[in-house]
Amino acid sequence: MVDFKSTLNLPDTPFPMRGDLAKRELGWVRDWQQRGVYKRLRSIARGRPRFVLHDGPPYANGDIHIGHAVNKILKDVIVKSRTLSGFDAPYVPGWDCHGMPIEVQIEKKHGKHLSAEETQRLCRAYAAEQIERQKVDFRRLGVMGDWDNPYLTMAYRNEADEIRALGTLLGKGYVYRGLKPVNWCFDCGSALAEAEVEYEDRKDLAIDVGFPFADRDRIAKAFGLPKLPDKPGFAVIWTTTPWTLPANQALNAHPEFTYHLVDTERGLLILAADLQQSCLARYKLSGTTLAGCTGSALEGIAFCHPFYDRLSPVYLGDYVTLDTGTGIVHSAPAYGVEDFESCRRYGMKDEQILTPVQGDGRFVKSLPLFGGAMIWDANLEIVAEIERRGALFDKAPYVHSYMHCWRHKTPVILRATVQWFAGMDATPGYRGVKPAETLRATALRGIDATRFFPAWGQARLHGMIASRPDWTLSRQRQWGVPMPFFIHKETGELHPDTLELLEAVAKRVEEGGIEAWQRLDARELLGDDAQRYDKIKDTLDVWFDSGSTHFTVLRGSHRGETAFPADLYLEGSDQHRGWFHSSLLVSCMMNGVPPYKALLTHGFVIDMEGRKMSKSRGTGMSPQEINGTLGAEILRLWVASTDYSSELNLSKEILKRVVESYRRIRNTLRFLLANTSDFDHARHAVPLAEMIEIDRYALALTARLQQELEADYERYQFHLVVQKLQTFCSEDLGAFYLDILKDRLYTCRADSHARRSAQTALYHVTHSLVRLLAPILSFTAEELWAVFTGGGDDSVFFHTWHALPALEEPEQLMARWSRLRALRAPARKRIEDLRAEGRVGSSLQAEVDFHLDGADYDLLASLGDDLRFVMLTSAARVHRTTEERVDVAPSELIKCERCWHYREDVGADAARPGLCGRCVANLYGEGEARRHA
RNA sequence: UGCAGGGUGGAGCAGCCCGGCAGCUCGUCAGGCUGAUAACCUGAAGGUCGCGGGUUCGAACCCCGCCCCUGCGUCCA
């Protein structure tokens, strides 16, 4: 038997079947870096319309985790797909460098008693180190960007511009200074942002405390009694924070609730009517109701403080509820927002508010009875004191969820301090300048003008902005951008030249970083005035750092290569409260508009049980680990194939699935390469009009795919991209077109029209696919590009979507072949029956007879003898009949040793034994002609 | 407790806006090919579309209620 294998055009390519990704990706990362691909891409894209995705800066502490990877990969897919769409899409990555977590790290390493300047120096070095580590991991993911020139919030220029931004806000009249209860952490010694607070269960002591009657006549009058019985009396309150009692300055009652005056063994009690029973039960007292009145009747009546010699008047408040307690609430304006606001409403001034708790959690020394005590320790002493004075009615442990510092995990309190604020509704103004509308109104209008992916983000951000309180801009930390103000020692007023002084400081910071402010002697700027002014030590909230990058980066350090406003900000959904929020507020104050045209959010990574990924539970999967085993490409494909708008599920099992689907795509690509390796488009391409019909159909399918994927990319629907790519590779190519094509590619003459037509189609399919894949499977696409285009200094990213040849009537072609495929299916199934009976193996062993009528008959008949190639059978006949059916039978003819078809003319040429007629023609004659398949 | 999102064969997702046989890929099982071969092709099994009502000739899809999951926020003075 002659070996005809060598007479076939079998696939051939150096593109390996196995990606060996974990190892070989490193080579591409290095290659991109060495060749300066990003930089060259910028010059290639220069002049195109710009698309700016502004990177939200990750915090420069710790190695990247899976969430970072998801975020950066999504950004990368967008930047690359926009580039391929013909945009100039720069990507300037950034890092958030200041703030407490880093300061805490330094404290841990070096202790607490460093000078501010030394702390800053160490923090700066630490952050720089963290950034380099993260940068390596980000690059390893295949993320392309300006890694040699990222933005850092700690860059001197950035720090200086941030001070300038502060100056702008002040000058426009948004900033004010005032006393206000803010979340306060004793361990931080600082106010916390809303985002820095989390809730955890905590056990406290809940106590019921009586405030003795002070004005018996007014109480009697309120209850409509001529005179009170001659017994002691109390208004009873319930609290879980005994330590706030030394700062008590009022009692709150609801204006519409009914309160009873109850006669008990321990005297007269005032309680909310609805809570009377439960309270008395708790106090183990029995009582009779003497009279009742509404809360509003109690307004202004003063009661004695339980252990200090002063009075607390009743103020009315709608926020008083009947869920727990007594219906009367004790009010310590320095330690509760509602308390603060109600006391303010009743005319209390800042300086009247009692603030006995210091920043370290201890009572001031001068506080009678409890001076110097830590508030948590003082709780017990306070309860004991109340008990001693006979004012304690009940005490019981109480578990409730309570605010904790996200860093220290220790309880946080509300504490009135002097802070700087950006007013949401109040427009404090600055030297006569006032914004035309409130910040809240500007921001809400900005949200309405922003596009959201997914759309529901809009309602969410809107809701947050609508209800948020004023922004506390100041912090009492070291590692942060200073609020370089000078305050008059007596009046507390800002220096009249503050705007100029800020600019002067900014200039110095630009030269020497925030350390320059630390070093600055006030006399250098103020001269003799210096002794009358305090140099403020506050720093800016770190959210202000990242919230002002649209100014410090887009209009500052990277203004030439980016633009304002950005086309897109993209972050995890938690950033509605974080970066989206702070950026919106800063930009609305500075520019009156948001810094972005659109916002995209993604969910968090969770495991199979629907739990959030966490290292402590051992379910966490690190990107470093995945990169090192499966490859970053698998991580990228997983991210892209997941609907990121809700949670992203990840597990070993899921990654295994992703690896499988990667293999499928990779092998399809390999087949395409292997069958075009001897094809030179310039010399061999068949003109569109002369191409074989099924090849033109393949082009039509590809054109439709490309059109759909371009749209999916545009709408950031990457999971649809992956799904369609997959289906295309499996269904349209693998199971249909390529399967049919093998015969023609392998058996026709290498340079025949029939084969070159197929290769022309494959050439275009490959060009289209490799680019459509590139944003997601960047490593694979680049690898393929090098093989396909013959190496050189090119990159797939230097190109745009492939321009496919324009078919004249693609719809007609699609309709015709869709029907053909539908008619093919039952025949394939009948062949499978034969196979199950053991009567055929390969489908080429079968012959098929279609019995059809009408359009279907015409359709199949129109293919002539080429129908058998579409059917993958040795013969396919069509018969006109009204009784439609498909017959399949094993061939009784002889198998051609070369093409494996079972044909009558095998051996007809005595000189060529074992060969069928067309193989003889292909090998020694003119070659066969194909028109349809 | 408020806001938002989700719940479709073992896994990942379509379908829902605009009601009309529940679909794709992967996996599983069975078979084939041995000229894409650690690949490829064919077929099959597998789903009460979270639950309960309603509207409708007809509901995964529209309406109401509930349950569960996730994120964000908030609260117990």
Side-chain angles (χ1 to χ4, degrees):
Chain A
M1 194 156 140
V2 191
D3 177 22
F4 288 105
K5 193 164 169 176
S6 60
T7 70
L8 299 172
N9 315 298
L10 291 179
D12 177 35
T13 178
F15 187 83
M17 188 153 80
R18 313 254 296 169
D20 202 7
L21 297 169
K23 206 179 295 166
R24 297 183 49 225
E25 283 169 352
L26 295 167
W28 289 108
V29 171
R30 208 178 312 121
D31 182 70
W32 285 330
Q33 196 165 341
Q34 281 166 359
R35 286 165 58 204
V37 165
Y38 177 79
K39 207 167 243 169
R40 288 182 47 200
L41 186 51
R42 291 281 64 77
S43 68
I44 288 168
R46 187 168 301 137
R48 296 189 200 160
R50 202 164 252 183
F51 180 88
V52 176
L53 189 169
H54 181 38
D55 188 37
Y59 193 70
N61 185 29
D63 287 339
I64 68 164
H65 56 67
I66 198 78
H68 288 111
V70 168
N71 178 261
K72 279 289 198 279
I73 288 171
L74 284 174
K75 286 170 177 167
D76 190 49
V77 172
I78 289 174
V79 167
K80 283 172 175 163
S81 59
R82 286 296 149 131
T83 302
L84 280 149
S85 296
F87 286 89
D88 175 12
Y91 180 59
V92 177
W95 274 276
D96 197 8
C97 309
H98 298 119
M100 225 175 36
I102 289 177
E103 213 174 313
V104 168
Q105 290 291 328
I106 297 304
E107 255 178 28
K108 266 192 207 155
K109 248 193 253 176
H110 303 275
K112 285 199 169 196
H113 303 291
L114 297 171
S115 71
E117 211 182 322
E118 183 67 359
T119 300
Q120 290 170 352
R121 193 183 63 78
L122 290 167
C123 287
R124 196 177 280 285
Y126 177 84
E129 199 179 294
Q130 297 295 311
I131 288 166
E132 287 313 309
R133 288 179 66 92
Q134 293 190 359
K135 191 190 286 184
V136 168
D137 285 344
F138 285 144
R139 290 187 111 146
R140 175 65 189 83
L141 291 171
V143 177
M144 223 174 252
D146 200 355
W147 295 108
D148 296 327
N149 183 29
Y151 77 84
L152 310 183
T153 58
M154 69 175 180
Y156 291 175
R157 174 170 179 187
N158 194 97
E159 291 173 336
D161 282 345
E162 214 176 305
I163 291 169
R164 295 187 173 107
L166 175 64
T168 304
L169 307 195
L170 180 74
K172 291 198 171 202
Y174 286 105
V175 180
Y176 70 95
R177 182 170 182 260
L179 194 65
K180 192 147 192 183
V182 294
N183 299 316
W184 187 274
C185 171
F186 301 137
D187 292 285
C188 301
S190 170
L192 298 184
E194 297 90 82
E196 294 169 337
V197 173
E198 55 190 36
Y199 286 79
E200 269 168 57
D201 275 356
R202 172 182 164 83
K203 195 161 109 182
D204 268 312
L205 202 52
I207 54 172
D208 290 75
V209 182
F211 280 59
F213 291 179
D215 190 340
R216 301 178 71 91
D217 290 344
R218 278 189 71 186
I219 294 169
K221 200 173 153 206
F223 283 100
L225 299 173
K227 194 172 183 299
L228 291 183
D230 192 17
K231 293 177 143 188
F234 304 89
V236 188
I237 64 100
W238 180 79
T239 179
T240 57
T241 53
W243 61 266
T244 57
L245 286 167
N248 171 279
Q249 295 186 269
L251 298 177
N252 293 141
H254 194 289
E256 283 151 31
F257 291 169
T258 301
Y259 290 86
H260 282 172
L261 182 67
V262 187
D263 188 6
T264 74
E265 297 93 313
R266 288 188 59 183
L268 305 170
L269 304 184
I270 298 177
L271 295 166
D274 291 353
L275 291 166
Q276 177 176 339
Q277 279 210 312
S278 63
C279 286
L280 291 179
R282 209 160 61 232
Y283 311 153
K284 300 183 180 63
L285 296 175
S286 55
T288 46
T289 304
L290 299 181
C293 70
T294 62
S296 52
L298 300 172
E299 186 174 17
I301 298 177
F303 291 82
C304 298
H305 190 280
F307 47 81
Y308 289 144
D309 186 17
R310 64 169 190 254
L311 297 176
S312 292
V314 172
Y315 295 154
L316 300 179
D318 289 333
Y319 57 89
V320 177
T321 66
L322 295 172
D323 302 338
T324 49
T326 62
I328 305 173
V329 175
H330 114 82
S331 173
Y335 305 107
V337 174
E338 284 160 341
D339 309 33
F340 181 84
E341 279 164 4
S342 67
C343 287
R344 266 288 175 75
R345 236 187 353 262
Y346 279 88
M348 200 179 283
K349 296 269 187 294
D350 271 7
E351 52 274 22
Q352 296 175 293
I353 291 175
L354 300 173
T355 56
V357 181
Q358 301 177 136
D360 61 359
R362 294 183 181 280
F363 283 120
V364 292
K365 282 269 184 320
S366 57
L367 183 73
L369 304 173
F370 316 109
M374 190 69 196
I375 60 164
W376 309 120
D377 304 331
N379 270 343
L380 288 173
E381 298 173 39
I382 291 168
V383 173
E385 177 65 23
I386 296 166
E387 193 157 25
R388 205 172 57 75
R389 289 176 180 250
L392 188 71
F393 283 81
D394 186 45
K395 63 175 172 185
Y398 186 77
V399 178
H400 58 147
S401 93
Y402 187 82
M403 302 190 294
H404 286 73
C405 172
W406 73 341
R407 181 59 41 190
H408 295 97
K409 310 294 175 198
T410 49
V412 167
I413 65 161
L414 284 163
R415 174 171 179 262
T417 53
V418 173
Q419 300 291 346
W420 295 89
F421 298 90
M424 292 302 297
D425 304 303
T427 49
Y430 181 76
R431 313 185 87 185
V433 179
K434 270 192 161 212
E437 67 178 350
T438 67
L439 174 53
R440 201 184 303 280
T442 310
L444 290 177
R445 208 153 34 76
I447 291 168
D448 293 340
T450 303
R451 286 189 71 191
F452 286 75
F453 301 90
W456 47 260
Q458 190 154 32
R460 193 163 156 194
L461 189 56
H462 197 279
M464 286 180 181
I465 295 288
S467 62
R468 69 153 293 144
D470 287 356
W471 183 2
T472 312
L473 293 173
S474 47
R475 293 290 182 281
Q476 289 68 47
R477 302 303 303 173
Q478 317 267 308
W479 180 229
V481 175
M483 302 185 79
F485 292 144
F486 295 96
I487 300 288
H488 194 279
K489 282 184 172 150
E490 279 144 36
T491 66
E493 295 287 313
L494 280 171
H495 192 283
D497 302 331
T498 290
L499 294 182
E500 293 74 17
L501 289 169
L502 285 177
E503 178 53 34
V505 173
K507 283 214 171 69
R508 282 156 204 258
V509 168
E510 198 160 350
E511 292 301 313
I514 58 172
E515 294 87 332
W517 165 251
Q518 209 53 242
R519 283 193 295 267
L520 180 79
D521 185 331
R523 279 173 300 188
E524 283 181 47
L525 292 180
L526 302 185
D528 292 343
D529 259 1
Q531 44 190 304
R532 292 191 290 125
Y533 283 87
D534 279 329
K535 183 182 160 192
I536 294 300
K537 287 189 183 149
D538 290 1
T539 55
L540 281 159
D541 177 5
V542 275
W543 286 107
F544 191 86
D545 289 24
S546 54
S548 55
T549 56
H550 54 81
F551 175 71
T552 60
V553 178
L554 298 185
R555 308 180 108 171
S557 58
H558 293 72
R559 72 179 310 154
E561 42 204 308
T562 58
F564 177 95
D567 292 281
L568 185 69
Y569 275 31
L570 181 168
E571 301 301 330
S573 58
D574 56 335
Q575 297 302 327
H576 282 109
R577 178 145 295 263
W579 193 50
F580 296 158
H581 196 111
S582 58
S583 297
L584 175 67
L585 293 182
V586 176
S587 184
C588 282
M589 287 188 271
M590 294 184 78
N591 314 303
V593 292
Y596 36 69
K597 294 179 192 160
L599 286 181
L600 187 150
T601 45
H602 61 259
F604 290 87
V605 179
I606 58 172
D607 62 23
M608 291 282 259
E609 281 84 52
R611 292 275 194 67
K612 205 167 160 183
M613 279 274 171
S614 104
K615 269 188 195 152
S616 56
R617 237 196 319 277
T619 55
M621 304 182 80
S622 76
Q624 294 83 358
E625 183 189 325
I626 297 170
N627 291 340
T629 52
L630 304 174
E633 202 79 321
I634 299 304
L635 200 51
R636 297 179 65 96
L637 186 57
W638 165 71
V639 169
S641 64
T642 305
D643 179 359
Y644 57 76
S645 61
S646 52
E647 312 87 58
L648 294 89
N649 293 310
L650 181 62
S651 67
K652 288 220 159 67
E653 176 70 15
I654 289 170
L655 283 178
K656 218 168 99 188
R657 293 292 112 78
V658 176
V659 170
E660 295 298 331
S661 60
Y662 173 77
R663 280 207 194 118
R664 176 68 212 221
I665 293 170
R666 184 175 178 93
N667 269 305
T668 305
L669 296 170
R670 179 165 184 267
F671 185 85
L672 294 173
L673 285 182
N675 284 289
T676 49
S677 56
D678 68 333
F679 178 79
D680 176 353
H681 185 260
R683 289 192 294 143
H684 305 311
V686 173
L688 187 61
E690 294 167 27
M691 283 175 75
I692 288 170
E693 188 181 0
I694 196 173
D695 297 334
R696 280 185 282 127
Y697 169 61
L699 289 182
L701 281 174
T702 308
R704 184 181 64 180
L705 175 78
Q706 181 164 324
Q707 193 187 349
E708 285 182 19
L709 295 204
E710 284 183 33
D712 289 335
Y713 271 124
E714 170 134 23
R715 288 176 297 147
Y716 312 125
Q717 301 267 17
F718 310 127
H719 65 292
L720 299 184
V721 170
V722 173
Q723 194 160 323
K724 286 171 188 171
L725 274 172
Q726 188 98 15
T727 305
F728 184 73
C729 287
S730 296
E731 292 285 287
D732 294 328
L733 295 183
F736 182 72
Y737 182 58
L738 298 183
D739 208 20
I740 291 168
L741 221 49
K742 285 177 200 166
D743 176 86
R744 180 148 48 105
L745 287 165
Y746 299 166
T747 68
C748 289
R749 303 177 61 133
D751 199 31
S752 62
H753 164 265
R755 185 158 175 275
R756 292 305 189 201
S757 171
Q759 289 182 311
T760 304
L762 295 185
Y763 169 87
H764 288 297
V765 170
T766 309
H767 261 299
S768 178
L769 271 185
V770 65
R771 298 168 208 217
L772 290 170
L773 287 168
I776 296 165
L777 298 176
S778 300
F779 294 107
T780 306
E782 192 75 319
E783 180 188 356
L784 185 141
W785 189 262
V787 174
F788 192 48
T789 63
D793 202 19
D794 200 11
S795 164
V796 63
F797 300 108
F798 296 163
H799 301 264
T800 52
W801 304 127
H802 183 53
L804 286 159
L807 292 156
E808 294 220 341
E809 285 178 319
E811 303 81 11
Q812 214 178 333
L813 203 53
M814 293 286 272
R816 192 170 141 84
W817 284 84
S818 297
R819 183 61 192 156
L820 214 44
R821 286 170 78 170
L823 292 169
R824 196 175 97 120
R828 308 287 304 161
K829 185 142 165 48
R830 297 281 292 108
I831 292 172
E832 186 61 22
D833 294 340
L834 285 187
R835 196 175 280 135
E837 292 163 22
R839 298 171 67 196
V840 301
S842 155
S843 79
L844 282 177
Q845 266 179 272
E847 299 188 348
V848 58
D849 285 275
F850 288 98
H851 300 268
L852 293 168
D853 199 6
D856 286 342
Y857 173 87
D858 296 339
L859 176 58
L860 292 198
S862 75
L863 294 190
D865 190 44
D866 286 354
L867 180 60
R868 67 183 168 116
F869 297 113
V870 176
M871 296 310 300
L872 301 172
T873 55
S874 283
R877 292 170 287 264
V878 201
H879 312 276
R880 191 186 282 283
T881 165
T882 49
E883 200 182 318
E884 304 200 340
R885 68 172 199 279
V886 185
D887 290 339
V888 175
S891 173
E892 284 162 10
L893 303 171
I894 304 164
K895 178 179 176 181
C896 170
E897 287 172 27
R898 183 168 176 273
C899 73
W900 296 344
H901 282 242
Y902 291 72
R903 302 297 290 177
E904 211 162 11
D905 56 3
V906 173
D909 183 342
R912 323 284 182 201
L915 290 186
C916 69
R918 71 182 182 104
C919 279
V920 171
N922 282 331
L923 279 177
Y924 311 109
E926 290 288 300
E928 65 179 310
R930 300 275 191 100
R931 286 186 53 218
H932 300 286

